[in-house]
Amino acid sequence: MRKRATRDETDLDGEGGQLSSSLVRGLGILRAFRPGDASLGNQDIIARTGLPKATVSRITYTLSALGYLLYDKELGRYSLGPATVALGYSALSSSAVVHIARPLMQPLADLTGAAVAIGTRDSLNMVYLANCRSESLVTLRLNPGSYLPIWKTSMGLAYAAGLLPEERARLVRALQEAEPDKAEAISAAIEDAIAQHGRLGYVTSFGAWHSYIHAVGVPFRPRDGSPLVAITCGGIGEIITEQRAHAEIGPALVAMVAALRRELEGNPAQS
């Protein structure tokens, strides 16, 4: 089983001489923990990172000593420690984009009966940074920290559409190297997303990830140099029909992102 690619494998080509291999491996171990993982054993970490047993043992010991991992002696398993949790919350709380986006996302979630989320890229996946749900019992139950594939979801496709051409080319190559049998499908999905975004201002995904999920996504690149993000509105197909996605949700999402830009730039009033 191929381990999940880490950022150094996809974005840092040619920079190996500047990288600390111990730090890269330590961060790789922390990345091995996924939403829903209460704990991982050494064998789980070895399988997910591809690192040798001795390396995993040495680094997990160090991370535990520093509070980034907690070790349960009775179970022989690791969980994320308070230092890691604090680091994640610090990153989210310091993000002006996430902080300002949330009050704009909730009304859209309530209006549509769906879930509205903001996320960014983590290697070959998208990761949720924040989300807002309606009170509907059938909204998507993904949470901050959840991972989604790039080329099968509106969040990933919107993100790809928002990249600069050279950035997008590197991403496509990395995705195709990870799934060579899907190379043509990956290229076609991203090209279609670029065309949709140019024509409509948003990107759609109807059943590509899970057959019952429909979603609309918009890329957003803050002008202050903050990382590119994607904002999506998604739910089951019975709620977000293709007709409703284009007639209502797509335009509403585009308007919400425009409002977010105005808020970030200190001009909340519609000009």
Side-chain angles (χ1 to χ4, degrees), residues 178-252:
E179 296 185 86
D181 58 323
K182 301 290 196 307
E184 290 187 8
I186 291 168
S187 179
I190 291 178
E191 287 299 323
D192 182 62
I194 296 167
Q196 272 200 337
H197 182 247
R199 186 174 70 253
L200 304 171
Y202 57 86
V203 171
T204 61
S205 177
F206 301 128
W209 181 31
H210 295 298
S211 60
Y212 55 89
I213 293 179
H214 290 184
V216 181
V218 176
F220 178 68
R221 188 186 292 272
R223 294 195 178 111
D224 66 357
S226 299
L228 174 70
V229 298
I231 303 175
T232 62
C233 181
I236 63 171
E238 286 81 356
I239 291 177
I240 301 183
T241 62
E242 293 191 28
Q243 191 277 334
R244 189 183 183 207
H246 288 295
E248 177 186 351
I249 295 175

Side-chain angles (χ1 to χ4, degrees), residues 29-84:
I29 287 174
L30 294 179
R31 287 173 182 270
F33 289 83
R34 303 167 185 167
D37 287 335
S39 63
L40 295 179
N42 272 336
Q43 291 304 314
D44 300 317
I45 296 172
I46 290 168
R48 292 186 182 184
T49 63
L51 295 172
K53 180 179 180 180
T55 300
V56 169
S57 296
R58 184 179 71 253
I59 295 177
T60 53
Y61 177 85
T62 302
L63 291 171
S64 298
L66 295 172
Y68 290 95
L69 291 179
L70 295 177
Y71 181 63
D72 187 319
K73 292 182 180 179
E74 292 186 6
L75 298 177
R77 297 175 69 83
Y78 295 90
S79 58
L80 292 176
T84 301

